Amino acid sequence: MRAVYSPEHLRHEPKHEMADGEAIGIYETPERAEAIRRALEADGGFAFETPIEHGTDPITAVHDPAMLGYLEGAWREWIAAGETAVEIFPDTFPLPALREGMGAGRVPRTPRASIGMWCFDTATPMVEGTYAAARDAVDVALTAMDLVLGGERSVYGLCRPPGHHAARAMFGGYCFFNNAAIVAEELVRRTGEPVAILDVDYHHGNGTQQLFYARGDVLYVSLHGDPDRAYPYFAGFAEETGAGAGEGTTLNLPLALGCSNEEYLANLDRGLEAIAAFGGSTLVVSLGIDTYGRDPICDLALTTEAYHEAGHRVAALGRSTIVLQEGGYFVPHLGENVRNWLLGLDGRGPDLSSLPEV
Ligand code: Q9C
Ligand code: ZN
């Protein structure tokens, strides 16, 4: 299987996220992607490719051009304003109620305000290299797409930073550009076919859902921790099924605390049935491994065996598949869990022999 990777992700190396009023070590680290790369390289069955630059048109096909413009200039403007902090965090968010009844108001001048206009949480700091890394993650995804359109059965894009929390005009949740949504939109435009997205990250992909909620040509299926207890809290409920032309093209499968392999795979089957009933020849997978039993920030109970089985069941759909990396934070086993998911997809057997004991 081909795998697409860029070392540019190393330039996105913030140190902190905010949790319960304190700065803690950020879970979304460069080491995550390096661990995955090493596991796939050691396997020997993955041929690595470098991404091809696709420009900004596929990005502005889904995102507000003003958000792209903000991200491109954020670091420059932060420094130009005399800020000395090496990580840009929001501290003030313009909730609609702030200016309720007062009209839109002026666009603020300080970059301290700008970040709060675009970023919805306190887990997504920007550093000097963030924009370059996020742009390359999009190119990784689009290059994986090109390879599938060129006839590859399935291709893996090692995207970092991840993407599925980024909406049309908002980013957060460790994500800047929505890599999977950009690929899905580009696939629709290039093939004229409907496209299905399967999101198996632990967290609901609020950004992907938002982007395609009213669209009849893109199916969004997500398995995730129930938003009644899990981030991003405000989207991902089972009753959210789409709007207008998109009615019935969103399927949320919220999972209970401690969800087992069996319960998870039963939910996956429901999602795969919906995908099989939807048209199109290509599937985009948002692959998160934060469903793992040992994930430090999530609460399901999956084991490595489940990842192999999940990949195997996705393969049974018989569709060309673009697999894009999202979350997964138990770094010691992250590479092997991704590798086993892809082994399942590729019709190879599981390999549990390289899981380090930690
Ligand atoms: N205590 C991805 O997995 N922090 N993003 C949540 C809950 C943000 C996850 C805080 C989690 C973002 C791609
Ligand atoms: Zn996640």
Side-chain angles (χ1 to χ4, degrees), residues 123 162 164-165 173-174 201 203 231 233 290 327 329:
H164 75 154
H165 294 301
Y174 308 147
D201 186 276
H203 303 97
Y231 178 98
Y233 315 119
D290 34 12
Y329 306 101

Coordinates of all heavy atoms in Angstrom, one line a residue, residues 123 162 164-165 173-174 201 203 231 233 290 327 329, ligand 1:
A123 N -7.3 24.1 23.0 CA -6.4 23.0 22.9 C -5.6 23.0 21.6 O -4.9 22.1 21.2 CB -7.2 21.7 22.9
P162 N -4.2 16.9 12.4 CA -5.5 16.3 11.9 C -6.5 17.4 11.5 O -6.1 18.6 11.4 CB -6.0 15.6 13.2 CG -5.4 16.4 14.3 CD -4.1 16.9 13.9
H164 N -10.6 16.8 11.4 CA -12.1 16.7 11.4 C -12.8 17.7 12.3 O -14.1 17.7 12.1 CB -12.5 15.2 11.6 CG -12.3 14.7 13.0 ND1 -13.1 13.7 13.5 CD2 -11.5 15.1 14.0 CE1 -12.8 13.5 14.7 NE2 -11.8 14.3 15.1
H165 N -12.2 18.4 13.2 CA -12.9 19.4 14.0 C -13.0 20.7 13.3 O -13.7 21.6 13.8 CB -12.2 19.5 15.3 CG -12.3 18.3 16.2 ND1 -13.5 17.8 16.6 CD2 -11.3 17.5 16.7 CE1 -13.3 16.7 17.3 NE2 -12.0 16.5 17.4
G173 N -9.7 21.8 18.2 CA -9.6 20.4 18.4 C -8.3 19.8 17.8 O -8.4 18.7 17.3
Y174 N -7.2 20.5 17.9 CA -5.9 20.2 17.3 C -5.9 20.3 15.8 O -4.9 19.9 15.1 CB -5.5 18.7 17.6 CG -5.4 18.3 19.1 CD1 -5.7 17.0 19.5 CD2 -5.1 19.2 20.1 CE1 -5.7 16.6 20.8 CE2 -5.1 18.8 21.4 CZ -5.4 17.5 21.8 OH -5.3 17.1 23.1
D201 N -12.6 8.3 14.4 CA -11.9 8.9 15.5 C -12.9 8.9 16.7 O -14.1 9.0 16.6 CB -11.6 10.4 15.1 CG -10.8 11.1 16.2 OD1 -11.3 11.6 17.2 OD2 -9.5 11.1 16.0
H203 N -13.5 11.2 18.7 CA -14.3 12.4 18.9 C -15.2 12.6 17.6 O -14.8 12.3 16.5 CB -13.4 13.6 19.0 CG -12.4 13.5 20.2 ND1 -11.1 13.1 20.1 CD2 -12.6 13.8 21.5 CE1 -10.6 13.1 21.2 NE2 -11.4 13.5 22.1
Y231 N -16.1 15.5 24.4 CA -15.7 16.6 23.4 C -16.1 16.1 22.0 O -15.8 15.0 21.7 CB -14.2 16.8 23.6 CG -13.6 17.9 22.7 CD1 -13.4 19.2 23.1 CD2 -13.3 17.5 21.4 CE1 -12.9 20.1 22.2 CE2 -12.7 18.5 20.5 CZ -12.5 19.8 21.0 OH -12.0 20.7 20.1
Y233 N -18.8 18.0 22.5 CA -20.0 18.3 23.3 C -21.2 18.9 22.5 O -22.4 18.6 22.9 CB -19.7 19.3 24.4 CG -18.5 19.1 25.2 CD1 -17.4 20.0 25.2 CD2 -18.3 17.9 25.9 CE1 -16.2 19.7 25.9 CE2 -17.2 17.6 26.6 CZ -16.1 18.5 26.6 OH -15.0 18.3 27.3
D290 N -7.9 7.1 18.9 CA -8.1 7.5 20.3 C -9.3 6.7 20.9 O -9.6 6.9 22.1 CB -8.3 9.0 20.5 CG -9.0 9.6 19.3 OD1 -9.5 8.9 18.4 OD2 -9.0 10.9 19.2
G327 N -6.9 11.5 15.1 CA -6.3 11.5 16.5 C -5.7 10.1 16.8 O -5.6 9.2 16.0
Y329 N -3.7 8.9 20.9 CA -2.7 9.6 21.8 C -2.0 8.7 22.7 O -1.1 9.1 23.4 CB -3.5 10.7 22.6 CG -4.2 11.6 21.6 CD1 -5.6 11.5 21.4 CD2 -3.5 12.5 20.8 CE1 -6.2 12.3 20.4 CE2 -4.1 13.3 19.8 CZ -5.5 13.2 19.6 OH -6.1 13.9 18.7
Ligands
Q9C1 N1 -11.2 17.2 28.4 C1 -8.6 14.9 17.8 O1 -8.6 13.8 18.3 N2 -9.4 18.4 24.2 N3 -8.9 16.0 18.5 C2 -10.6 18.0 24.8 C3 -11.5 17.3 27.0 C4 -9.4 18.4 22.7 C5 -9.2 15.9 19.9 C6 -10.7 18.3 26.3 C7 -9.5 17.1 22.1 C8 -9.3 17.2 20.6 C9 -8.3 15.1 16.3

